[in-house]
Amino acid sequence: MARPVLASLCWLAAALFTAPASAQAATYTIDPVRTSTTYELGSISSGRFERHTGSIQLDMAAKTGLADVSIEAASVRSGMALIDSILVGTELFNASQYPSIHFLGDQFVFSGETLTDVLGNLTLLGKTLPVVLHVNSFACSRPAAPEPEVCSGNFETTIDRTDYGMDLGVSLGMPKNVHLVVQVEAVRQ
């Protein structure tokens, strides 16, 4: 009888000893294939950005994090080549002068154990302004050993594009507000 009890105690001690390590901050790299950002400009225009890079640092125990994500401006796709050329042109994303859209989220907000918002700054057309990404869903899981842990989430926000100097069509009645939905998958390093 002593051996099973001793084995159980050893297993429990090992589990307790390793528990804090799994609760420490971890770094995740954005999966460029499984990450996308879509935009909607009212009912006038919608599309998606197809190329993302970046990383996320996350400490669930401390309820802190840092999201550093870049979107390639020229990767915007509306489904129509003519519209795409206007989108990347000088009157909108000006992708030749500003090739990257950057989000740096440095405040992760939790309600209990649930991530609810990521606060940070969005840099677009060389101008940096605060934004709040609201969390629609977020979870981390390990598919199967030896595969690494994967975190995925769905976030959204609405920005006023004129705040960034993107005024094309506003005087003609086109909407100023752009709704963004960001779907991210990131793999633990």
Side-chain angles (χ1 to χ4, degrees), residues 111-163:
S111 175
E113 298 300 313
T114 304
L115 179 63
T116 60
D117 296 290
V118 178
L119 286 67
N121 290 300
L122 179 68
T123 302
L124 174 62
L125 296 172
K127 190 168 190 177
T128 303
L129 296 169
V131 297
V132 177
L133 293 180
H134 301 289
V135 180
N136 294 322
S137 64
F138 179 80
C140 296
S141 62
R142 184 176 209 128
E147 296 298 316
E149 181 181 44
V150 174
C151 292
S152 58
N154 181 292
F155 307 84
E156 67 179 316
T157 192
T158 299
I159 63 168
D160 180 340
R161 64 189 177 101
T162 63
D163 289 344

Side-chain angles (χ1 to χ4, degrees), residues 79-104:
M80 297 177 61
L82 177 61
I83 301 296
D84 292 350
S85 67
I86 294 168
L87 287 169
V88 299
T90 57
E91 293 187 275
L92 288 173
F93 288 106
N94 197 0
S96 61
Q97 185 173 351
Y98 301 101
S100 182
I101 301 164
H102 186 248
F103 175 73
L104 184 62

